Amino acid sequence: MGFRSEEMCLAQLFLQSGSAYDCISELGEMGLVEFRDLNPSVSSFQRRFVSEIKRCEEMERILGYLLREIRKANLAVPEAEIPPVAPAPKNVLEIMEQLQRLEVELSEVAKNKEKLQRNLLELTEYTHMLRITHTFMHSRSRHEALGPQYEEFPSLETESVTGCTSMQRLGAKLGFISGLIQRVKVEAFERMLWRVCKGYTILSYAEVDESLADLDTGEINKNVVFLISFWGDQIGQKVQKICDCYHCHLYPHPETDEERADVMDSLRTRIHDLQNVLHRTEDYLKQVLHKASESAHSWVLQVKKMKAIYHILNLCSFDVTNKCLIAEVWCPVSDLANLRRTLEEGSRKGDATVPSFVNRIPSSDTPPTLLRSNKFTSGFQSIVEAYGVGDYREASPAPYTIITFPFLFAVMFGDLGHGSVMTLFALWMVLTEKDHKRRRPGNQVWTTFFDGRYIILMMGLFSIYTGLIYNDCFSKSLNIFGSAWSVKAMFTKQEWTNETLQTNALLTLDPNVSGVFSGPYPLGIDPIWNMAVNRLTFLNSYKMKMSVIIGVIHMSFGVVLSVFNHLHFRQKFKIYLLFLPELLFLLCLFGYLVFMIFYKWLAFSVRDSQLAPSILIHFINMFLMQESATTPLYPGQIGLQVFLVVVALLSVPVLLFGRPLYLYWLHHGGKSLGVHRGYERVRRVSEEDLSPSVVHDEEEGLSDSGGPREVKFDFGDVFLHQAIHTIEYCLGCVSNTASYLRLWALSLAHAQLSEVLWAMVMRLGLRMSSRLGVLFLVPVFSVFALLTISILLVMEGLSAFLHALRLHWVEFQNKFYSGTGVKFAPFDFSLLPSVFEQDGLL
């Protein structure tokens, strides 16, 4: 990781038609360049290699079908040990034929399997229907069935003479319809049957014990066997239509018991045969899928690479002879030698008679931003780029963020115990990172934690350090070196007596008494403060001043970093008209506040601490330019404060008018404007530069054309944006300094939450003196550990992380970092997304 982005150049690639595919393939493996589209006005459907891309999409469709079938069979897709290279164009048809042949075979086997499953399901349903309806026909009483039965047949009274019903005399025959229906539809089906048939039906039903699968939806449903008795063909047609509307599975109902027995025997035999055939079909299908799964991952990578190559070739343009492809790429200057070697290797693989070559060309376009990172720095680089990608060759805050971000987090999270837990968790992820990368868990929350494992490790280490400084470990202090305060001296010097102990609930140690205070604690805060009643008052004062000091130093460092941008871009006028006024305004006001804090610490000892004045009162009187009624900190304080305020106020008009007036003079009478270092920084007008071009210092030369470059200059526009910047910076110095007080607030909140958790949970278990206290301590410690991890580590840690993120984005980075660049996106096969990985098929 560098302190600024790498130097880029625009280059032309001249690729011979016969070796262009191999050259692009080699470039994709190396990931060196970013291609530009030389055919922006040509539609995607009118480009030269559209047919090849369609062939790749067809292979992707077949691979998607294949991977879905493999996942249905619960088979793993092993990754290739060595990633395959893009296939040669002459081998593409062979891969296409293999995939098509495999698709046809799988589709035929899958159709046969589905057909067999449907037949088996129908036979199984038919068996259940025959078994249950047999109980309906031989039941002594229809009211004993599981469901209600309707027996209302109007005018069915039997005549005493003939022994026949009126329906039989009319020629109506008794019919039966039987089948299966889903359990959830039974009530509606029953109601519809009653309303339509006017009661001329008898419905009997019972639920099937076995749950059957619906092959269309794949769901497991509870089904009900029903038997409907009716008189007449007209009623039967109505019943048939109702069954069709409710998607009932109807099966023929045997008329006699002998016929029912024959059908049952035939069904048993057919089910047994179907099960054997289905098992063999499934075994054959698994064999085919297992063999295909061994090559599936390689095919996916090959098709992905091949499609990407043809997409890049569509971005290129042909020369007039159609024998050479011309491509334009952005390439880091340091990788030009590797680029030439890669093109030579591609030409050799393509057996080209004329080698491909690269030609560097000048350009006035803004190059993309490239900041190289490794697995340690990538997390911190992501934090910076979440704010915005830096401008080309702009100073990057990422190297400094590696230290400042976990430090500011630790100031708010400082606890030795919590930091140790966080460090151990991050260290476990770091040591087992290879296993986690191999498993590729789909949990997005876990992936976020794992990607930021080095950030968590640094935050944990810095939290251990600040925990030692605060002398805070799970809200308790560690007496490592022994306290520097002694109670014995108070008795030996006759300051305390037995009567003093009996009459005072609280006692105050006087450091002015010889032997009471022997000196500062070697590391951090003295552990005796953990027992003091005024501990919170002491820590409030200490952490509030510490927050202001850290904030002013952090902001001043951001302002100083802007000098490196001005010097690099040869804009020295910004040093005098932007940097110096900004730094003077910040240091004359808030830098002086830091000076007063240190001076008060050093100038006033324990003996005269009662005479120490309030820094806040002096700081307010500094702006009012009046003498304070309290004792001054040092001689000549009033004169120095007036001088600093005057300097701060004078820096405001310089910051407001300096740059617009200089640019006005430069445009109307200064030296001509030009480009710098072979490129021109094009930025938005709202970010301190002219549009559409940038004003450079007098040291800059001429434009690319060799003559003066006419630049449209609008003084009002420049002045407006400079006024916005001046107001934002001056007010921001006040608000940003106050914003750093969040370090104090969150540090105290974390310490108090830790103390409350210890007092309300852990102390209850430690106070039990009986033998059962040890057993009671186990659940108490479990609750304590759970609350510590969930509240103090996760919730408080996330809160401190977000506040540290805000301090870097708003208070630090905006002093020198614009973040309006475009990230370098190299053509790299390893960075290309896969549709199958997004769908979870790989």
Side-chain angles (χ1 to χ4, degrees):
M1 174 183 289
F3 292 94
R4 64 178 69 251
S5 60
E6 293 200 18
E7 185 178 356
M8 307 289 292
C9 67
L10 185 64
Q12 274 187 335
L13 306 182
F14 293 89
L15 310 174
Q16 301 304 315
S17 299
S19 62
Y21 182 92
D22 296 284
C23 290
I24 299 298
S25 176
E26 290 296 318
L27 290 175
E29 298 291 346
M30 298 296 293
L32 298 176
V33 297
E34 176 184 347
F35 285 85
R36 300 177 66 185
D37 190 1
L38 300 183
N39 308 303
S41 59
V42 182
S43 172
S44 301
F45 303 99
Q46 297 176 346
R47 304 207 175 189
R48 190 180 185 95
F49 299 96
V50 173
S51 58
E52 286 80 0
I53 292 179
K54 288 183 178 179
R55 186 184 298 119
C56 295
E57 291 176 348
E58 175 64 17
M59 287 190 283
E60 283 184 343
R61 183 194 63 79
I62 297 175
L63 285 172
Y65 167 75
L66 176 62
L67 292 174
R68 283 190 292 271
E69 293 296 324
I70 292 175
R71 187 172 64 175
K72 287 181 182 178
N74 295 323
L75 296 177
V77 180
E79 296 185 8
E81 296 181 358
I82 301 176
V85 297
K90 59 183 178 182
N91 298 331
V92 173
L93 292 178
E94 180 181 351
I95 297 176
M96 185 72 176
E97 290 176 358
Q98 290 180 357
L99 292 176
Q100 288 178 342
R101 188 165 55 249
L102 187 61
E103 182 191 20
V104 171
E105 184 176 7
L106 283 177
S107 60
E108 290 180 354
V109 175
K111 287 180 181 178
N112 293 334
K113 178 184 175 182
E114 184 180 358
K115 186 176 181 181
L116 291 172
Q117 287 177 339
R118 288 188 180 277
N119 292 337
L120 181 61
L121 179 63
E122 290 177 357
L123 296 179
T124 304
E125 290 180 348
Y126 197 8
T127 303
H128 287 302
M129 188 274 296
L130 292 176
R131 177 177 57 82
I132 295 177
T133 54
H134 180 68
T135 61
F136 294 160
M137 301 299 294
H138 293 76
S139 176
R140 294 182 180 181
S141 175
R142 293 179 179 176
H143 294 284
E144 295 177 359
L146 293 179
Q149 299 117 20
Y150 296 99
E151 306 179 28
E152 291 188 29
F153 280 85
S155 305
L156 293 185
E157 296 81 0
T158 303
E159 295 184 2
S160 58
V161 179
T162 62
C164 298
T165 64
S166 58
M167 298 296 293
Q168 290 175 336
R169 287 188 291 102
L170 293 174
K173 295 181 179 179
L174 180 65
F176 299 94
I177 292 180
S178 58
L180 278 82
I181 187 174
Q182 292 184 8
R183 181 69 184 85
V184 295
K185 299 180 181 179
V186 171
E187 295 181 1
F189 177 70
E190 179 182 353
R191 193 180 304 113
M192 181 62 69
L193 197 65
W194 170 258
R195 292 176 178 175
V196 173
C197 298
K198 307 297 184 181
Y200 287 95
T201 58
I202 299 176
L203 172 64
S204 302
Y205 62 84
E207 188 172 339
V208 181
D209 299 334
E210 181 183 355
S211 297
L212 302 176
D214 189 347
L215 296 181
D216 295 327
T217 62
E219 297 179 354
I220 304 297
N221 298 319
K222 282 289 186 179
N223 293 284
V224 170
V225 172
F226 64 87
L227 177 64
I228 303 174
S229 305
F230 59 89
W231 285 98
D233 296 338
Q234 188 175 3
I235 299 296
Q237 293 176 2
K238 292 182 180 180
V239 173
Q240 185 76 31
K241 290 180 180 180
I242 294 173
C243 293
D244 294 339
C245 291
Y246 283 89
H247 302 286
C248 301
H249 297 172
L250 302 181
Y251 298 98
H253 185 269
E255 297 181 358
T256 62
D257 292 342
E258 292 79 6
E259 184 180 354
R260 184 188 302 273
D262 294 340
V263 173
M264 289 287 289
D265 294 338
S266 175
L267 287 177
R268 292 190 191 96
T269 304
R270 292 175 61 186
I271 288 175
H272 180 70
D273 295 339
L274 274 177
Q275 287 177 344
N276 292 333
V277 175
L278 188 60
H279 287 319
R280 294 176 183 176
T281 305
E282 290 176 348
D283 293 339
Y284 177 74
L285 182 61
K286 282 189 176 181
Q287 293 177 2
V288 175
L289 290 176
H290 180 72
K291 186 177 181 180
S293 64
E294 296 176 353
S295 305
H297 193 267
S298 298
W299 286 336
V300 168
L301 292 180
Q302 287 179 320
V303 173
K304 181 179 73 171
K305 292 180 179 181
M306 185 167 48
K307 183 179 178 181
I309 291 172
Y310 285 120
H311 175 71
I312 294 298
L313 289 175
N314 276 336
L315 303 181
C316 305
S317 62
F318 282 84
D319 63 347
V320 292
T321 62
N322 281 339
K323 294 182 180 179
C324 178
L325 277 80
I326 302 174
E328 288 187 3
V329 297
W330 289 110
C331 177
V333 175
S334 59
D335 287 337
L336 282 176
N338 295 332
L339 176 59
R340 292 189 177 94
R341 285 194 295 268
T342 303
L343 292 179
E344 292 174 359
E345 180 67 19
S347 301
R348 186 187 61 80
K349 288 185 177 181
D351 298 328
T353 56
V354 179
S356 302
F357 61 94
V358 58
N359 181 31
R360 184 173 175 177
I361 58 176
S363 174
S364 60
D365 295 339
T366 305
T369 302
L370 171 62
L371 281 163
R372 301 185 192 271
S373 59
N374 51 37
K375 61 181 181 180
F376 175 75
T377 60
S378 60
F380 298 97
Q381 184 66 38
S382 300
I383 289 177
V384 174
E385 291 181 350
Y387 176 82
V389 179
D391 286 355
Y392 176 60
R393 302 294 286 167
E394 185 180 32
S396 173
Y400 318 105
T401 303
I402 296 176
I403 301 299
T404 58
F405 183 84
F407 175 71
L408 292 183
F409 170 86
V411 170
M412 296 179 279
F413 194 78
D415 190 287
L416 178 61
H418 300 156
S420 300
V421 174
M422 184 177 291
T423 302
L424 292 175
F425 172 66
L427 194 61
W428 170 74
M429 289 192 292
V430 170
L431 295 177
T432 59
E433 60 183 11
K434 293 184 179 179
D435 296 335
H436 293 302
K437 287 181 179 179
R438 195 181 302 114
R439 294 173 188 170
R440 290 183 181 179
N443 192 331
Q444 188 174 0
V445 176
W446 165 253
T447 303
T448 302
F449 277 101
F450 181 73
D451 292 340
R453 58 192 180 279
Y454 288 101
I455 300 178
I456 299 175
L457 178 62
M458 293 294 291
M459 292 190 304
L461 292 175
F462 275 86
S463 297
I464 293 176
Y465 166 73
T466 53
L468 289 173
I469 297 299
Y470 296 157
N471 203 351
D472 209 354
C473 181
F474 297 112
S475 78
K476 297 301 170 186
S477 296
L478 302 177
N479 192 8
I480 301 174
F481 304 101
S483 177
W485 294 79
S486 175
V487 180
K488 182 179 179 181
M490 296 296 292
F491 288 96
T492 57
K493 300 296 181 180
Q494 300 299 321
E495 295 291 333
W496 289 353
T497 61
N498 292 331
E499 184 180 355
T500 307
L501 297 177
Q502 295 174 0
T503 57
N504 293 278
L506 298 175
L507 298 174
T508 303
L509 291 173
D510 188 359
N512 293 317
V513 177
S514 177
V516 173
F517 182 67
S518 58
Y521 195 68
L523 180 63
I525 297 176
D526 197 295
I528 199 172
W529 284 105
N530 190 261
M531 304 167 58
V533 178
N534 59 339
R535 173 174 179 264
L536 191 59
T537 304
F538 168 73
L539 291 179
N540 263 330
S541 176
Y542 167 74
K543 293 184 177 181
M544 181 173 62
K545 294 180 175 66
M546 176 197 64
S547 301
V548 174
I549 294 171
I550 292 175
V552 173
I553 294 175
H554 199 212
M555 290 189 296
S556 301
F557 180 59
V559 175
V560 171
L561 287 178
S562 64
V563 177
F564 297 99
N565 284 334
H566 303 331
L567 292 176
H568 178 78
F569 296 118
R570 295 182 182 176
Q571 298 173 335
K572 291 185 178 178
F573 73 94
K574 289 188 176 181
I575 297 178
Y576 306 108
L577 302 179
L578 288 180
F579 165 68
L580 287 179
E582 289 177 352
L583 190 63
L584 286 175
F585 184 85
L586 179 61
L587 294 183
C588 287
L589 298 181
F590 301 99
Y592 177 70
L593 177 61
V594 174
F595 164 76
M596 287 195 294
I597 293 174
F598 279 103
Y599 185 86
K600 183 179 178 181
W601 282 345
L602 298 174
F604 294 89
S605 63
V606 176
R607 299 185 183 277
D608 54 359
S609 59
Q610 299 294 333
L611 304 177
S614 171
I615 294 177
L616 185 59
I617 298 300
H618 281 279
F619 192 61
I620 295 174
N621 290 331
M622 175 181 174
F623 290 96
L624 299 177
M625 294 187 183
Q626 65 182 17
E627 186 174 356
S628 176
T630 59
T631 306
L633 283 173
Y634 55 88
Q637 177 185 0
I638 303 300
L640 179 60
Q641 290 183 168
V642 171
F643 172 76
L644 293 177
V645 171
V646 171
V647 172
L649 293 178
L650 289 178
S651 63
V652 175
V654 176
L655 185 62
L656 177 61
F657 297 105
R659 181 173 173 273
L661 292 177
Y662 173 79
L663 295 180
Y664 180 82
W665 168 82
L666 190 64
H667 183 79
H668 289 86
K671 295 183 179 181
S672 58
L673 307 178
V675 294
H676 164 53
R677 300 184 183 182
Y679 65 89
E680 185 178 32
R681 299 181 71 233
V682 179
R683 295 167 58 184
R684 296 180 183 177
V685 294
S686 61
E687 293 170 1
E688 307 179 2
D689 288 305
L690 292 178
S691 177
S693 62
V694 175
V695 176
H696 297 285
D697 204 5
E698 297 97 330
E699 299 177 1
E700 300 184 31
L702 301 177
S703 62
D704 296 336
S705 60
R709 186 186 181 98
E710 292 295 332
V711 179
K712 185 179 179 181
F713 179 76
D714 187 352
F715 179 80
D717 192 31
V718 175
F719 178 77
L720 177 61
H721 290 102
Q722 188 62 29
I724 294 174
H725 170 75
T726 303
I727 296 172
E728 181 184 8
Y729 178 81
C730 295
L731 296 180
C733 284
V734 181
S735 62
N736 292 348
T737 304
S739 180
Y740 278 93
L741 292 177
R742 70 184 68 235
L743 299 175
W744 157 52
L746 267 76
S747 176
L748 288 177
H750 184 83
Q752 291 303 306
L753 279 174
S754 181
E755 187 174 351
V756 168
L757 192 60
W758 180 276
M760 299 187 66
V761 180
M762 200 63 187
R763 188 177 295 173
L764 296 178
L766 296 175
R767 280 182 174 177
M768 293 191 65
S769 57
S770 62
R771 295 182 178 180
L772 297 177
V774 178
L775 299 177
F776 181 70
L777 194 59
V778 175
V780 169
F781 178 77
S782 302
V783 174
F784 176 77
L786 178 63
L787 294 178
T788 298
I789 293 174
S790 60
I791 297 178
L792 294 179
L793 286 178
V794 178
M795 295 178 60
E796 277 288 308
L798 180 60
S799 175
F801 180 90
L802 295 177
H803 283 284
L805 197 64
R806 180 243 154 78
L807 290 177
H808 277 78
W809 283 356
V810 180
E811 278 73 25
F812 174 62
Q813 290 182 187
N814 68 350
K815 301 294 187 298
F816 67 99
Y817 185 72
S818 59
T820 57
V822 179
K823 190 175 183 179
F824 177 67
F827 173 61
D828 192 344
F829 289 141
S830 61
L831 301 178
L832 295 177
S834 175
V835 292
F836 304 117
E837 292 179 358
Q838 296 173 358
D839 296 339
L841 298 177
L842 281 179

